Amino acid sequence: MRLRLLVVALLCSTTFYSQTDEGVLKNIYKTSLTNGKSYEWLDYLSNQIGGRLSGSVNAELAVEWGEKELKELGLDKVWLQPVMVPKWIRGAKEYAYVKSSSGKTTSVNICALGGSVATNPLGIESEVVEVHNFEELEQLGRNKVEGKIVFFNRPMQADLIQTFQAYGGCVNQRYKGAVEAAKYGAVGVIVRSMNLRLDDLPHTGSMTYDDLPNSKRIPSAAISTNDAELLSSMLKLDSSLKFYFKQNCQQLPDVKSYNVIGEITGSEFPNEYIIVGGHLDSWDLGDGSHDDGAGIVQSMEVLRLFKETGITPKRSIRVVMFMNEENGLRGATKYAKVAKQNGENHIFSLESDAGGFTPRGFSFDCSDAVFSKIEGWKPLFKPYLIHYFEQGGSGADVGPLKTKTNVVAGLRPDSQRYFDHHHAANDTFDAVNKRELELGAATMTSLVYLFDKYGIAPISNKNELKD
């Protein structure tokens, strides 16, 4: 009887892989769009749990939810991987205003940056110096900066079509602004939000003090783009105006959390691993639907679609819900460390952490030879309007898994609206389109299917895709 079942299983596997790749991808997309579960999952994660800052109660609830849902999928293995994470809390809502020389005050919208210290209990009020980069700050020097609040006001470059490039071009003022300003005796830092549009929403994000002692650390906050424009205009008219802000954040001792991991064990090469993932934590202002609830549920959906469409993978496929991408990358570091200790061969790792918008394609960190092979798959994606296959870049959580021979990649959705929501209070479930989310899940599943079927060894004939 056992032999008979084995023969039937082998025949089913052979029958499945005798289908054309075009047919398999068509079935994957059809199933995701007509019988998908990603949107339902995201609804619960966003609306029943909400923002999931590392070390928070909501992060704990998300871990419990993720483990439960993966077990209900009937995967071969589901487990929690412990990891110590930072616990930073925002405290009571921040408050700020601009005070003119005449004494008139104008309220503005700010939020503390993640990891910042609080102001003193009464807040900080001081004159402001506006700069656009660290070079301008250095030119001003201690004489013009000491005792003042530094206002970093470099906008994202609007003419760059790749919005992540625009983000990368100015995010250093958010991340290291406090460190640089403290060198010259500043008492606080205000940073223009990383946002391409003008609105009233401040966008938080991680910042660092490097090795500054606690006594030298100064509070750092983001200001909305509308209010950054207002403050800059007011400074041109009245350079002696003052800025007041109060924030109540606090850094607590590290706490234990978990990466959530599920696996379908490979039928032929169980010791070769393909992973899909996103980060389970989020910032606390919204519910983290785009960043990165979308990536979490799309990654879960990859494994569900394999099972739903009857694909028996050759290699072991894992979903990893990484903890603490936003303010520490502890989960990714821990996963990569354990994988190395266990001698696990991760041939391909795919991350979704760029929002739940319409998928456009992927970026790949791999050799030229392997990328040439990957490009041979592009025609399979043409019917689904997926055209972006580029070398360079992957994702923060899969980056630590990169070796000289494997492939790490990132899903690349349309990013034009992503930074309208990124790290802000409007990163909420209503901003995610169901169909776009499902298309992204199907696109990820299709790529994983191809990597599982053909492996990553480069080939000389693109019509003979073999391991």
Side-chain angles (χ1 to χ4, degrees), residues 424-446:
N426 65 340
D427 184 4
T428 50
F429 180 71
D430 62 295
V432 177
N433 177 274
K434 180 176 182 289
R435 185 173 180 84
E436 292 178 333
L437 184 74
E438 293 167 345
L439 284 168
T443 301
M444 293 173 67
T445 307
S446 298

Side-chain angles (χ1 to χ4, degrees), residues 360-387:
R360 299 298 187 203
F362 306 93
S363 60
F364 300 92
D365 187 353
C366 62
S367 69
D368 292 343
V370 171
F371 184 66
S372 178
K373 174 179 179 176
I374 294 168
E375 284 191 301
W377 299 336
K378 284 182 71 174
L380 294 169
F381 290 89
K382 185 177 180 181
Y384 311 102
L385 307 181
I386 304 300
H387 62 274

Side-chain angles (χ1 to χ4, degrees), residues 11 13 31 34 73 76 87 101-102 109 111 113 123 135 146 154 159 170 190 216 252 262 317 323 374 378 380 387:
L11 285 172
S13 177
T31 304
T34 62
L73 287 181
D76 296 318
K87 184 177 178 67
S101 298
S102 64
N109 297 284
C111 67
L113 293 177
E135 291 73 24
E146 189 169 18
R154 183 165 79 257
D159 61 341
C170 62
I190 298 296
K216 301 277 188 184
L252 299 174
I317 314 294
M323 183 55 70
I374 294 168
K378 284 182 71 174
L380 294 169
H387 62 274

Side-chain angles (χ1 to χ4, degrees), residues 72-93:
E72 289 184 359
L73 287 181
L75 305 180
D76 296 318
K77 299 176 185 177
V78 176
W79 70 100
L80 300 181
Q81 185 178 73
V83 56
M84 298 300 292
V85 300
K87 184 177 178 67
W88 177 85
I89 57 176
R90 184 173 301 280
K93 183 175 173 58

